[in-house]
Amino acid sequence: MSQVQDIYEDDEFEGLLEDARMNAANDWEENFVSDLSSKYAEFGRRMFLSDSQKDHLERIASDE
């Protein structure tokens, strides 16, 4: 598990969250992105992100 600041540059993660929010195709994806957004609002770039969370977020954001 890594922190957002160790994985993504400056505002890259915020853009990824926004892309994922726009591309979320079902309730599960919407809730997943919403939960990550809430945690990011609370912890900022110090938020921890698992490899699985990272993979899911990037998949949703890229609309695959």
Side-chain angles (χ1 to χ4, degrees):
M1 200 176 283
S2 302
Q3 290 181 306
V4 169
Q5 65 190 2
D6 298 330
I7 303 170
Y8 299 102
E9 297 295 323
D10 300 327
D11 60 351
E12 184 180 9
F13 187 71
E14 292 171 17
L16 198 61
L17 283 174
E18 180 60 20
D19 289 347
R21 186 185 68 77
M22 299 293 284
N23 291 335
N26 55 50
D27 288 344
W28 185 90
E29 289 181 355
E30 289 174 10
N31 289 330
F32 176 77
V33 174
S34 177
D35 288 347
L36 285 183
S37 294
S38 295
K39 289 177 185 168
Y40 185 70
E42 183 176 352
F43 298 104
R45 294 180 45 77
R46 293 175 289 115
M47 179 182 111
F48 282 95
L49 194 66
S50 72
D51 290 341
S52 179
Q53 287 171 316
K54 177 182 176 291
D55 292 345
H56 285 303
L57 181 62
E58 290 178 358
R59 180 187 52 78
I60 297 167
S62 67
D63 202 19
E64 290 180 6

